[in-house]
Amino acid sequence: MTLLHRVLLPILAAGLLSGTELGAVLDPVLLKPSRNARVASALGPPPDTVHTSADAGTPLALALPDTLNDRPVARYSLLQGPALSGIAGRSFAWIPKGTAPDTHHALLQAESTNAPPDTLVVQIRVRP
């Protein structure tokens, strides 16, 4: 147990048992957010996103990109999507029957030959 833990744990326990707020017990300097770049980069880059729109009740067929991050895509699979959506070859298909106008998302996995799987988000704005 480090010295910091030895000092903070009894103070924290005393504060919790006495009903006082943690902010009144601990020095705010100890609670500064980390500006460490390793924390931000651990999340990785955001997934690629394809934007499209469709009219409510009208079927949508969207051609998917042949490459992601400069790598050819061998195949796509649907990880999560709205009801009545799916993948057919290199196309995303959706029948937005009974869907309210709003923005909807589908999450796809793109598989390449000599690379780990990548993620593609399809964002669909359904118009009235």
Side-chain angles (χ1 to χ4, degrees), residues 39-88:
V39 173
S41 66
L43 299 176
D48 292 319
T49 304
V50 173
H51 302 272
T52 190
S53 58
D55 294 323
T58 303
L60 168 72
L62 175 69
L64 299 171
D66 293 331
T67 61
L68 281 180
N69 296 321
D70 298 324
R71 292 189 305 245
V73 176
R75 69 180 230 113
Y76 284 98
S77 56
L78 183 65
L79 298 175
Q80 180 180 352
L84 303 177
S85 67
I87 300 292

